[in-house]
Amino acid sequence: MVNLNLNDVAANNHFKALKDCLQNRIKKILKNGVVKSKTKYLPNNDLKIYLNYLLIDDNLKQLIIARPESITEIISFTKNRYGSFLTKNHPSNIILNNLFVKSCYDDTKVFSKHDFIKTIDIDTCPYCNRSYIYYLSKNKEIKPEIDHFFPKSKYPFLAMSFYNLIPSCQTCNGFGGKEEKDPLKEDLINPYLLKSSDFSFTFEPISSRIISTLLDKNSIKVKIIKNIPGHLDVFKLKELYELHSDHVVELIFKSKIKYSDTYRAYLEKYKDKGLEFSDNEIDRMILGNYATEEEIHKRPLTKLYQDIGKELGLIK
């Protein structure tokens, strides 16, 4: 729904901040293994080869900063060469989970979720564009949500890969939403590879209803006419967006009373008073939301507003 911009500078800084912690932990695992629920797990030969491979800086860096399209290649190679790594509760999976998740992702001294989301610089959930992902500083104890696009339970070796960490809202990341669903099985696309044009909204009147008021939210139905089916199913976008018909009704009302023409003319009068608005600023005030593709992430439902606003002729 919302495209995330690649940021290789941030990805490299992310790697630099994690490198020593991960490699020091690898050395300890190679020497002593890990203990979980009073059971000691030692790496087998395949895992020893893999862990020693990651002790080479460039190899670990390749894993941590891998771009979204390369992550699927890493998964394919790992599945063919080290299939047990992807098997939940297999000793190798447990050890990798300890390395990347418990010893790194879950350790606030090593990885700050607050700082990470601040680096991404996005305001709304990229999966739904319905909710803010705002958070407070650490001492305010408002926990930010970060989704592992490829879930850490199955792909623990990707748990700290920069482009696998997606800021999200609680609805999309929680129970009934994405949870631990595998994108390869659900046909999901990483938000870094999404385009805003992958989704498109319209509406249709519900003619069988007796409309009680001009702004009756039940008089129309929101429709998603262009979509990625996997996202529609996993994030329940169709059902959730149908709940937002009141926003569309208000836009329809504005179009009926020629609101945009009247308001544009009204704002033009302020030029003589030294107050001049750009076309984008006027579109934003008419729409009641941001009006450009680059600003979709800034406010909930922006994509819906833009598509309907263009359809109704409120904005170009």
Side-chain angles (χ1 to χ4, degrees), residues 92-131:
S92 293
N93 181 278
I94 290 172
I95 292 171
L96 288 170
N97 193 285
N98 178 280
L99 168 61
F100 288 100
V101 181
K102 183 178 180 181
S103 301
C104 195
Y105 180 79
D106 290 340
D107 190 336
T108 57
K109 294 180 181 178
V110 176
F111 178 64
S112 168
K113 296 179 178 66
H114 297 82
D115 292 346
F116 181 84
I117 292 181
K118 185 177 180 180
T119 298
I120 302 300
D121 190 25
I122 185 173
D123 296 313
T124 61
C125 176
Y127 292 132
C128 69
N129 188 220
R130 292 179 56 254
S131 304

Side-chain angles (χ1 to χ4, degrees), residues 26-27 29-33 41-56 81-82 84-85 92 95-96:
I26 288 172
K27 293 173 184 176
I29 289 173
L30 286 169
K31 183 177 180 181
N32 302 313
Y41 298 90
L42 295 171
N44 60 21
N45 287 334
D46 278 348
L47 186 54
K48 286 180 181 177
I49 292 171
Y50 182 72
L51 293 177
N52 276 296
Y53 171 84
L54 295 181
L55 285 176
I56 299 172
R81 176 65 178 84
Y82 305 109
S84 62
F85 293 6
S92 293
I95 292 171
L96 288 170

